[in-house]
Amino acid sequence: MQTLPPAIDIQCLTHHYGQRLALNELNLQVARGQIFALLGPNGSGKSTLFRILSTVMPFENGRAGVLGYDVRQQAMTVRQHLGVVFQSPSLDRKLTVRENLRCQAALYGVRGAELTSKLEQLCNQFGLQHRLADRVDTLSGGLQRRVELAKALLHRPQLLLMDEPSTGLDPAARLDLWHLLRRLQSENNMTVAITTHLLDEADKADSIAILDRGVNVASGRPDQLRSQLGAQVLSITTVNPQPMLDWLAQQSVEARQSGREIRVSGTGVAQLVAPLSQRFPEDLQSLTIGKPSLEDVFIARTGHRFNGSVGWDVAGDKHPESIRI
């Protein structure tokens, strides 16, 4: 049986904005039929990649493929197979839900009996049956997101791209959105790719790629990436980190520092709590133990916090690479 090409295939993709490097020889593959999250802080290159994949922006070097089609050479074909939900609302707020959907359908040549059938199906799927005559500006943020989704799916795309889909939504609406995405995936075998800077949102995806400064620093299943750090992460807040770093350097553990916080990851790091408490009773402010998070993965791969505002030192050394003492 012939193997289908990946939903997204990025090879050595590079793009600049003037002197600023937005994508740095990026490599990325996304398999079909899954929910994929591109996770990264603001300015990491997520929206740049989104614009390239949705064919609205040319790029400098490398290759971008969507469902086996070349984005640069076959842009029109790519558009026929894509559904796109941008971060900024694309609905006309003065038109009704029905009018917005009909305008979108006209752009893709969906009309007549096909349009009637598709509108009924999507409105039932997204709970919009009784809101078709309502103007968009009277709808809640969650309902507007549903209309955006219905609009993007009118032409039955194989790949749905969503840029920061939870922007402006309250927690209940965000949960509702994810239920809808899971239903699309299971009922339509659709590939859904989202960009996000929310760690908990990325954790819901089947697979993720972590982007930092235009580079794919880690990719795989969220649980798989977390397990690579070991079973536990010990977070230490201290008024005097250097003596603690010196002591940890003798214990065969991996330690990272940011300001007055030190993080130690691995298996059995809970055993460090007692000796740390006894050795540094005056310097310790807090000790917490938990399972590794995606932020811990990001820190381990980049050497700095997820928000990019704080540099991390490793075992007291002033460089970003992880070392084991």
Side-chain angles (χ1 to χ4, degrees):
M1 185 173 63
Q2 186 177 6
T3 302
L4 293 173
I8 297 173
D9 187 11
I10 303 297
Q11 298 176 17
C12 295
L13 194 63
T14 299
H15 190 74
H16 288 80
Y17 292 109
Q19 297 298 314
R20 187 174 72 83
L21 182 60
L23 297 175
N24 185 7
E25 296 188 357
L26 179 68
N27 291 291
L28 174 67
Q29 276 199 347
V30 178
R32 296 190 184 216
Q34 63 177 248
I35 295 181
F36 167 80
L38 185 65
L39 173 67
N42 294 329
S44 60
K46 304 188 304 298
S47 292
T48 297
L49 180 59
F50 182 92
R51 295 187 188 105
I52 289 171
L53 290 174
S54 55
T55 76
V56 300
M57 189 179 80
F59 56 94
E60 294 172 2
N61 297 307
R63 182 186 182 278
V66 170
L67 301 165
Y69 303 106
D70 188 281
V71 169
R72 196 197 298 271
Q73 304 296 330
Q74 300 168 286
M76 288 299 295
T77 305
V78 168
R79 291 171 193 161
Q80 294 171 11
H81 296 282
L82 275 185
V84 182
V85 179
F86 293 99
Q87 181 177 356
S88 300
S90 64
L91 302 174
D92 190 319
R93 296 175 58 81
K94 298 304 179 183
L95 296 182
T96 66
V97 171
R98 179 184 285 108
E99 289 166 340
N100 270 278
L101 294 176
R102 284 186 173 276
C103 286
Q104 179 76 0
L107 293 175
Y108 282 91
V110 181
R111 56 177 62 89
E114 181 187 5
L115 174 58
T116 301
S117 172
K118 196 60 181 173
L119 280 177
E120 181 179 0
Q121 176 191 344
L122 288 171
C123 288
N124 288 335
Q125 192 171 22
F126 296 137
L128 298 171
Q129 309 96 309
H130 307 298
R131 309 307 294 265
L132 285 171
D134 294 352
R135 277 189 1 182
V136 166
D137 60 7
T138 67
L139 303 180
S140 68
L143 280 172
Q144 289 186 30
R145 258 310 187 226
R146 291 189 186 197
V147 179
E148 293 265 17
L149 266 174
K151 179 182 167 185
L153 299 175
L154 272 167
H155 61 294
R156 296 184 174 89
Q158 297 177 44
L159 172 63
L160 176 63
L161 298 177
M162 302 187 72
D163 192 15
E164 302 281 357
S166 294
T167 298
L169 299 184
D170 60 39
R174 287 176 56 195
L175 187 60
D176 181 49
L177 173 65
W178 271 90
H179 288 155
L180 291 173
L181 294 181
R182 282 295 175 195
R183 195 190 313 167
L184 286 173
Q185 178 197 30
S186 61
E187 294 179 0
N188 302 336
N189 194 32
M190 181 180 294
T191 307
V192 179
I194 72 169
T195 67
T196 183
H197 64 277
L198 303 174
L199 294 159
D200 62 328
E201 187 166 70
D203 230 339
K204 295 183 177 75
D206 300 316
S207 68
I208 67 171
I210 300 177
L211 207 61
D212 181 54
R213 299 168 187 173
V215 177
N216 180 4
V217 297
S219 57
R221 297 194 316 272
D223 59 338
Q224 180 187 55
L225 294 176
R226 290 194 304 269
S227 68
Q228 292 173 1
L229 296 183
Q232 299 169 327
V233 171
L234 173 63
S235 297
I236 308 163
T237 305
T238 173
V239 295
N240 189 14
Q242 193 55 54
M244 214 167 294
L245 286 167
D246 294 339
W247 182 81
L248 288 168
Q250 305 170 19
Q251 310 307 311
S252 300
V253 296
E254 183 177 306
R256 291 181 176 273
Q257 178 200 356
S258 175
R260 295 188 302 175
E261 184 181 2
I262 299 170
R263 292 195 188 190
V264 183
S265 60
T267 301
V269 296
Q271 299 173 6
L272 297 171
V273 171
L276 279 168
S277 301
Q278 294 169 3
R279 196 174 189 91
F280 305 100
E282 302 299 325
D283 294 339
L284 280 174
Q285 293 181 308
S286 69
L287 286 169
T288 60
I289 298 176
K291 292 183 178 180
S293 67
L294 288 180
E295 183 175 21
D296 293 311
V297 175
F298 184 87
I299 291 168
R301 296 300 180 92
T302 67
H304 57 86
R305 279 185 179 275
F306 185 77
N307 61 17
S309 62
V310 183
W312 283 78
D313 305 328
V314 183
D317 293 330
K318 307 298 181 183
H319 58 80
E321 292 79 14
S322 174
I323 61 173
R324 185 168 296 277
I325 304 300

